[in-house]
Amino acid sequence: MTIQIFHNPRCSKSREALALLQGQTLAVEVIDYLKTAPSLAQLQALHQTLAVPVREMLRSNEDEFKALNLGAPELSDAELLAALAAHPRLLQRPIVVNGDRAVIARPPELALSVL
């Protein structure tokens, strides 16, 4: 099975997680989500696999988060996922997926927990 990593090459944590995975001699599919944004359906599936609140998938320190008022508690999961689909930069990184298991690899060593 191929391990997937939702990766931002400019992010040091994402680079560290990728290096850890590659050091395990695994087949790793690198998804540069800023170049190839995940669809709403892919984000919904990723949310289900992660089994965390949608808010944990969001990067709250990004300008778009503040500009779109995504910290508002009344926003539904559907609204937050739609914002992620429209603004992929908001996706927390890195996210590592292995079949029906996934983790937000912060710290990067968490990437190994889904192997």
Side-chain angles (χ1 to χ4, degrees):
M1 177 170 281
T2 300
I3 307 297
Q4 294 179 314
I5 181 170
F6 288 81
H7 177 64
N8 179 343
R10 296 187 60 180
C11 172
S12 64
K13 300 294 183 202
S14 194
R15 290 191 308 268
E16 287 176 40
L18 179 58
L20 283 170
L21 293 172
Q22 291 173 328
Q24 299 294 311
T25 64
L26 300 167
V28 179
E29 176 187 359
V30 178
I31 301 167
D32 186 338
Y33 64 90
L34 295 177
K35 289 184 179 177
T36 306
S39 68
L40 180 57
Q42 289 172 313
L43 289 167
Q44 290 166 332
L46 186 58
H47 172 242
Q48 292 298 316
T49 305
L50 280 167
V52 299
V54 173
R55 290 190 180 280
E56 288 186 27
M57 295 173 63
L58 292 164
R59 293 182 53 79
S60 60
N61 59 337
E62 297 292 343
D63 292 338
E64 290 96 334
F65 184 89
K66 294 170 186 82
L68 297 169
N69 196 30
L70 296 178
E74 67 273 8
L75 291 175
S76 68
D77 286 353
E79 290 170 311
L80 294 172
L81 286 168
L84 270 174
H87 304 277
R89 186 172 145 177
L90 290 170
L91 185 63
Q92 192 58 266
R93 61 184 180 253
I95 296 176
V96 178
V97 181
N98 182 7
D100 63 353
R101 299 176 56 202
V103 66
I104 298 170
R106 295 185 79 81
E109 294 78 20
L110 286 177
L112 302 176
S113 70
V114 296
L115 302 184

